[in-house]
Amino acid sequence: YGVTLVDAIRGVVTVGQFADDVLRSRMNTLLTTFGPSEVLIQGGENGASSELLSLLKSAQSTSSRSMRIERVNDTEMFPKSTAVDPAIRKQMERRSSHVKPWDVDETLQELHRRGYYPRSSRKADSSGDKISRWPEVLRACVNGGATLALSSFGAVLFYLQRSLIDGEILSMGIVKAYVPPGSPSASEGDGNGEKRDAVENLKKISAEEERKEDGVDLSSGGGKSCVGSGKSPSNHQEVDFGSMDGDVAAAIAAEAEIDHMSLDGTTLSNLEILTNSHSNTAAGSLWSKINHTKSSHGSRLLRAWLLRPLFRKLDIERRADAVEELACGGAAVAMSEARLALAKCGDIERLLSRVHSMGGAGSNGNNPTEPGYHPNERAVLYETVTHTRRKVGDFSRLLNGVRAAAQIPELFSGIDIQSGLLRKIVHTTAEDGCFPADLNERLDWFFDNFDCKRAAEGLFEPARGMDDTYDAACDTIERIEQDLEDYKNEMCNGPLQPSSLAKSSWKYANTKEGSKDKYLIELPVSVRVPADFYVKGKRGSGAKQVNKYRTPVVEQLVEELEAALDVQRAGKARGMQLVFAKFDSMRSIWAATAQATAMLDALGALAETAGKPGFCRPAIVDCPPNGRPCIQVEQGRHPCVEVTHMGGDFIPNNLSLGGVTGDNGNGGDASRVLLLSGPNMGGKSTLLRQTCLITILAQIGSYVPAEQCAVTPIDRIYTRLGASDRILMGQSTFFVELAETAAAVRGATRRSLVIMDELGRGTSTFDGTAIASAVVKHLVERNKCLALFATHYHSLLEDWKEEASVRLGHMECIVDGGDEDTAKDVNDAEEEGESTSGHNITFLYTLGDGVCPKSFGINVARLAGVPEEVLGKAKAVSSKFEKEMNGSLRTRKISPANAIALRKRIEAALQEENWEEAERLFCDLQ
């Protein structure tokens, strides 16, 4: 696929190209991550496939907000411009009314013609490189031949031009690369036209962008690294790959290239990370529980962190150090004050985009001498007063927001900050930090020269030095007014008689700016005037008559004055535009401010989470090549359910999987897979989900809801949860279940975490048991990953109870004895031969060792309100079926665990010539 995503409000364009699997899982991840409000797809024979259309319609039906799908055909009609100015009309129209939006060559030609991006230097242009100053992502696509990405960009360009917002967005010059989690290698895309170098370049650019957002490689323009440069240390010791198996060596080498945990769309939905599964809103999701940010741009950054948790131990601990210091260190008090300032910042990123548009950077933002570069030049604004008030309001909010942000370095001054990341964020560039220095001095000019109240009323006048042409016009007007006054004195002291009457009665009429016949000379009829004074009008009669004269000198001065007033009016009209353009010329400084405040806001939100009772900082454990990944949680809780039930109602659990390794790679628990059994509604799914969520929180640098936690970084989480079909895509419930399983089995590495809940329930018991058993075997022997596998197949538990890498656990409950009015643990009841089908079950929601022999589905049926008559029949059938299965298992099944013991018993019976025992064993075998 080639994709182009546009955030029209921020002016950010994201371009990507990737291959996908038959389930369109990466496209599903894109839709889940971005949640677009409008989707353009290619029409025609070579357009979007039926599978893609089904996926889009499915996403449209489950989206929390409306999503519009529009087809853009291979050939479209481009509308004629209605601009009055022919030059502007020519610029805004395509060369032909029939355009090919998806054609790469036509797209590149249009980009050159409209000049959205700076043109190449003469030297580069002469060498044939006409795109040397284009955004890096576009250059990588063009030079690498990423035709699908450029084709999608062409469709977006056509749509933006048709909507008359192309210049305002594209001239921002912000083009990012999109690489989906778990994207295939470049060679996988060759069959679809992908070029290896283009895809690899996009991956490199995307990795650099992500590391900058993560705070790993903050740069301050000149290439100076604020935190570090290049890749973080892999934290791995020197590895002898020659002594390893080829597949193992390749897997270990691949770990060194991983920067983030991968979360695909299925995992995001199953774990309810962004939205809940009930109403598809953020309420109750993990995102809603950690989003304590005060600014919109800080919220967006925290969301990006949540979607791509860190993988490298050094990166995680660097961020966690900053969170810890903001939560309980010396910077905590300063952070509480900084959050008040952050709340006043507003959305700096979006306001910068609006000011960029208002400053004249539009269709020809990089060449403003050409027509059509500003909205005022392309349209007649009937609501000028409202539009002006809105523009001034946006600019005022931006100025005040940046002014509030400028207080942050001062709030943290004098504090001994230990965290390197935090120190870089809150210190100015003058102090070797990343926060722009001298912000207040830069802002003072705008506050001094831009009166927001007068500007909102349409009374703004450019200050001196802002526009040379306007200044020259003002000087000309002042000079002409003085010349007119000098001419009056000259005439009154010379030709005009009587002189005293002329001085007292000389008056200039029509001196206002919009008046006609400006500066007519009014004199009584009794004053004698020279011959070059000719009458233009008169008022009164007789001795009181006043004549209105015009002279060649005044006429010439008035002509000059009219011309200067026209220039002055034009200067006033573009005065705000000039202020906006001046502000936009320093956009890199304001953008750096937005980045620093967003990062501080996101860290502050995590610090707020860390301050909640019952949260602890997790220990990030190294995982050398000869070591074992681990997850160890003491008294862990679900971060979302805990808040819903006010903390006290949720029962915490301990979980130990994998084991913490020492320097020699030994020690800890050998089990990597937990086979989890227990009654229905006993809390199995909750335990699976909370383990994943705790891991995600740990790797974004957050505190976790537990008393203690230790985890090795996880590279990817795979989930198989719930039961739902995809009717619009023609996929049954069981198909969806196996598709999620296939992704885990094929992609999981030793550093992955897999959770599976009741795999195989969508088919017959025998097929389901077989599939579940085979999947567990693959996870244990081939993937060697950490896994939590909840099941009701008790034969599966029996098969793996002797395996060292598999641990058996169950969610505990108590069986009420009913008539005997006694309560027993379910295992005790089973050992005494009691039937538990008629007893009341009390769920303890705690994880215990061993196997739970029953699932108590009848109990759930009772809670759901199934009639007692039906329950009675179900109990009878369940008991009969259970006895048949138990008898069959006792007489026919030999597991690997008891085969050796059985053989020894047979050998002993034969040696002792105990023929009765030997005959009994023989009959059992039959």
Side-chain angles (χ1 to χ4, degrees):
Y1 291 113
V3 295
T4 299
L5 302 107
V6 179
D7 186 341
I9 299 180
R10 290 193 299 146
V12 178
V13 180
T14 306
V15 180
Q17 180 168 312
F18 56 88
D20 210 346
D21 53 32
V22 294
L23 298 176
R24 308 302 191 269
S25 58
R26 295 183 180 94
M27 181 59 70
N28 179 45
T29 301
L30 183 148
L31 295 172
T32 304
T33 302
F34 289 94
S37 58
E38 192 162 8
V39 179
L40 306 179
I41 58 174
Q42 185 174 4
E45 297 180 356
N46 299 322
S49 63
S50 57
E51 292 82 359
L52 177 59
L53 288 174
S54 298
L55 175 63
L56 292 174
K57 291 179 180 178
S58 177
Q60 188 180 36
S61 63
T62 58
S63 176
S64 59
R65 59 181 181 181
S66 60
M67 186 176 81
R68 178 172 172 266
I69 301 175
E70 179 178 338
R71 289 179 181 268
V72 177
N73 296 317
D74 292 334
T75 302
E76 291 278 354
M77 289 289 296
F78 195 83
K80 292 288 185 180
S81 174
T82 57
V84 178
D85 191 327
I88 297 177
R89 186 165 60 247
K90 180 180 179 181
Q91 181 71 15
M92 297 179 65
E93 290 180 350
R94 288 283 188 103
R95 294 177 178 177
S96 173
S97 58
H98 292 81
V99 299
K100 296 180 179 179
W102 302 94
D103 185 84
V104 174
D105 293 335
E106 186 170 324
T107 298
L108 296 178
Q109 292 174 7
E110 185 65 12
L111 288 175
H112 283 296
R113 186 181 75 87
R114 294 295 292 269
Y116 299 109
Y117 306 116
R119 293 184 172 89
S120 301
S121 62
R122 292 183 179 180
K123 182 177 180 181
D125 201 5
S126 61
S127 63
D129 186 5
K130 297 183 178 181
I131 61 172
S132 60
R133 298 175 65 189
W134 281 18
E136 185 181 9
V137 173
L138 277 184
R139 284 190 280 114
C141 293
V142 174
N143 295 330
T147 54
L148 293 178
L150 291 173
S151 180
S152 66
F153 190 90
V156 167
L157 175 61
F158 163 77
Y159 186 80
L160 295 178
Q161 286 182 337
R162 193 177 65 181
S163 304
L164 303 180
I165 56 174
D166 51 308
E168 286 74 8
I169 295 174
L170 299 183
S171 62
M172 286 284 289
I174 305 176
V175 183
K176 297 184 177 182
Y178 175 72
V179 178
S183 184
S185 62
S187 59
E188 290 185 56
D190 291 344
N192 292 329
E194 284 189 349
K195 299 295 180 68
R196 185 185 302 270
D197 52 354
V199 176
E200 289 300 323
N201 286 337
L202 289 179
K203 288 182 179 179
K204 292 179 182 178
I205 296 171
S206 176
E208 292 174 0
E209 293 171 348
E210 289 174 351
R211 292 181 69 78
K212 183 177 179 181
E213 287 186 353
D214 292 338
V216 178
D217 289 330
L218 291 174
S219 298
S220 55
K224 182 177 68 174
S225 175
C226 292
V227 177
S229 60
K231 290 269 188 182
S232 294
S234 63
N235 301 318
H236 291 316
Q237 303 171 354
E238 292 294 328
V239 181
D240 181 13
F241 291 104
S243 61
M244 293 183 178
D245 176 78
D247 293 340
V248 176
I252 297 298
E255 289 179 8
E257 301 300 321
I258 300 175
D259 288 327
H260 299 92
M261 176 199 292
S262 294
L263 299 173
D264 60 17
T266 299
T267 299
L268 294 176
S269 299
N270 286 339
L271 297 181
E272 299 181 304
I273 292 177
L274 296 178
T275 60
N276 65 64
S277 58
H278 173 64
S279 61
N280 289 316
T281 61
S285 66
L286 179 63
W287 166 238
S288 68
K289 304 307 176 184
I290 68 170
N291 183 22
H292 304 294
T293 55
K294 293 295 185 179
S295 65
S296 297
H297 53 293
S299 175
R300 282 192 296 271
L301 180 61
L302 181 61
R303 186 178 186 272
W305 287 358
L306 181 60
L307 292 175
R308 54 167 192 273
L310 298 169
F311 178 74
R312 299 177 186 272
K313 178 185 176 182
L314 182 62
D315 297 344
I316 299 172
E317 291 184 335
R318 178 188 289 116
R319 187 183 293 171
D321 287 343
V323 171
E324 182 177 18
E325 192 156 3
L326 289 174
C328 54
V333 176
M335 186 62 214
S336 62
E337 298 179 11
R339 285 174 64 81
L340 299 176
L342 290 169
K344 301 176 183 178
C345 287
D347 195 340
I348 296 179
E349 289 180 339
R350 294 193 174 189
L351 291 173
L352 282 176
S353 175
R354 294 180 184 178
V355 171
H356 170 78
S357 173
M358 296 185 299
S363 300
N364 295 298
N366 298 296
N367 187 10
T369 60
E370 297 184 16
Y373 70 93
H374 190 267
N376 291 350
E377 302 291 334
R378 307 198 307 267
V380 177
L381 303 177
Y382 292 99
E383 298 292 338
T384 305
V385 176
T386 302
H387 184 59
T388 299
R389 189 179 297 114
R390 186 175 300 163
K391 289 193 299 183
V392 173
D394 289 340
F395 189 59
S396 177
R397 283 192 293 273
L398 180 55
L399 289 176
N400 291 321
V402 178
R403 177 75 88 186
Q407 304 172 11
I408 291 176
E410 183 179 353
L411 294 175
F412 286 89
S413 62
I415 298 177
D416 184 17
I417 299 176
Q418 301 299 317
S419 165
L421 174 61
L422 181 60
R423 188 167 55 249
K424 292 291 184 180
I425 293 174
V426 300
H427 285 180
T428 65
T429 52
E431 302 170 321
D432 197 29
C434 291
F435 208 99
D438 303 327
L439 270 184
N440 284 318
E441 289 76 3
R442 298 176 189 273
L443 290 170
D444 285 343
W445 187 93
F446 296 96
F447 280 101
D448 293 341
N449 294 279
F450 189 83
D451 189 331
C452 293
K453 292 184 178 180
R454 287 183 58 81
E457 297 171 358
L459 302 176
F460 174 75
E461 293 186 8
R464 286 284 180 171
M466 189 180 299
D467 183 358
D468 293 340
T469 304
Y470 177 83
D471 292 344
C474 292
D475 292 340
T476 300
I477 293 171
E478 292 179 2
R479 178 185 59 79
I480 293 174
E481 290 176 345
Q482 185 60 47
D483 289 346
L484 288 170
E485 190 66 25
D486 293 342
Y487 179 72
K488 167 188 171 182
N489 295 331
E490 180 183 351
M491 291 294 102
C492 291
N493 293 327
L496 300 182
Q497 295 297 328
S499 177
S500 58
L501 180 60
K503 287 182 179 180
S504 62
S505 59
W506 180 298
K507 178 183 178 182
Y508 284 119
N510 305 331
T511 57
K512 292 184 178 180
E513 184 177 331
S515 303
K516 295 181 179 180
D517 294 330
K518 287 185 178 64
Y519 286 92
L520 292 178
I521 303 171
E522 292 187 350
L523 288 171
V525 68
S526 58
V527 176
R528 296 188 297 273
V529 298
D532 58 353
F533 276 59
Y534 58 93
V535 179
K536 289 282 292 183
K538 61 182 179 179
R539 58 182 174 85
S541 59
K544 296 182 179 181
Q545 179 177 324
V546 176
N547 291 337
K548 297 180 179 182
Y549 298 100
R550 173 75 81 197
T551 69
V553 175
V554 173
E555 188 171 9
Q556 182 179 357
L557 290 174
V558 168
E559 289 179 0
E560 294 180 24
L561 178 64
E562 291 282 9
L565 287 173
D566 289 340
V567 174
Q568 187 187 54
R569 279 193 293 269
K572 287 182 179 180
R574 69 171 183 272
M576 283 193 296
Q577 180 184 335
L578 294 173
V579 175
F580 300 151
K582 182 178 179 67
F583 192 91
D584 186 56
S585 67
M586 295 183 281
R587 192 181 349 137
S588 60
I589 297 174
W590 317 129
T593 304
Q595 182 186 9
T597 53
M599 195 164 296
L600 180 63
D601 198 9
L603 291 173
L606 295 180
E608 286 289 309
T609 301
K612 295 180 180 179
F615 276 66
C616 73
R617 176 174 176 175
I620 307 301
V621 183
D622 261 330
C623 185
N626 60 339
R628 292 187 297 268
C630 75
I631 296 178
Q632 293 190 344
V633 181
E634 292 186 14
Q635 297 296 290
R637 306 181 306 280
H638 194 294
C640 303
V641 178
E642 172 189 46
V643 176
T644 302
H645 294 283
M646 304 304 292
D649 291 341
F650 190 87
I651 299 175
N653 268 299
N654 297 336
L655 176 67
S656 178
L657 207 60
V660 180
T661 58
D663 295 335
N664 58 357
N666 298 320
D669 189 358
S671 61
R672 296 189 303 268
V673 178
L674 172 64
L675 290 185
L676 185 62
S677 59
N680 294 103
M681 297 180 62
K684 298 188 297 298
S685 298
T686 301
L687 178 64
L688 267 58
R689 285 184 169 92
Q690 84 177 36
T691 302
C692 293
L693 296 179
I694 287 175
T695 303
I696 292 172
L697 287 176
Q699 290 187 220
I700 67 172
S702 173
Y703 279 35
V704 300
E707 291 186 0
Q708 287 187 0
C709 176
V711 59
T712 55
I714 300 298
D715 66 354
R716 184 161 184 169
I717 293 179
Y718 294 91
T719 59
R720 152 77 291 278
L721 295 171
S724 61
D725 55 18
R726 299 174 182 169
I727 297 177
L728 295 177
M729 299 183 67
Q731 297 173 359
S732 67
T733 302
F734 189 52
F735 182 90
V736 173
E737 184 178 333
L738 292 184
E740 295 174 356
T741 302
V745 170
R746 297 179 63 181
T749 69
R750 76 180 187 116
R751 301 294 292 273
S752 300
L753 173 61
V754 177
I755 62 170
M756 293 192 176
D757 190 12
E758 301 183 24
L759 174 63
R761 63 183 172 183
T763 185
S764 69
T765 301
F766 300 107
D767 287 348
T769 305
I771 292 173
S773 179
V775 168
V776 172
K777 182 178 179 66
H778 198 282
L779 294 176
V780 172
E781 298 178 356
R782 296 291 299 276
N783 301 108
K784 298 182 180 180
C785 59
L786 298 176
L788 286 79
F789 196 104
T791 184
H792 291 290
Y793 296 138
H794 300 287
S795 60
L796 178 65
L797 305 173
E798 182 71 20
D799 289 343
W800 290 96
K801 68 180 182 181
E802 301 296 334
E803 174 63 40
S805 60
V806 177
R807 174 189 167 196
L808 303 184
H810 71 281
M811 302 306 294
E812 296 178 332
C813 62
I814 292 178
V815 181
D816 189 348
D819 295 338
E820 301 175 3
D821 198 22
T822 58
K824 299 181 179 181
D825 182 86
V826 64
N827 291 312
D828 297 336
E830 282 294 321
E831 289 176 2
E832 296 176 13
E834 298 182 11
S835 174
T836 57
S837 60
H839 296 165
N840 294 322
I841 308 299
T842 302
F843 301 122
L844 300 180
Y845 301 110
T846 54
L847 176 62
D849 293 329
V851 177
C852 181
K854 282 184 174 293
S855 296
F856 304 102
I858 303 298
N859 183 71
V860 178
R862 180 181 294 108
L863 295 175
V866 176
E868 285 296 329
E869 179 182 0
V870 177
L871 290 176
K873 293 179 180 179
K875 292 176 187 177
V877 174
S878 175
S879 299
K880 180 180 179 181
F881 183 68
E882 185 176 357
K883 290 179 181 179
E884 291 177 354
M885 290 295 296
N886 289 337
S888 176
L889 289 175
R890 281 194 296 269
T891 57
R892 286 193 279 178
K893 180 163 183 174
I894 300 177
S895 66
N898 60 25
I900 296 177
L902 182 59
R903 177 182 174 180
K904 290 181 178 179
R905 291 172 60 190
I906 295 174
E907 290 176 346
L910 294 176
Q911 290 177 358
E912 297 173 1
E913 297 183 355
N914 187 348
W915 310 119
E916 183 178 352
E917 175 67 12
E919 182 180 6
R920 189 184 64 80
L921 293 173
F922 178 77
C923 291
D924 286 345
L925 287 174
Q926 302 309 306

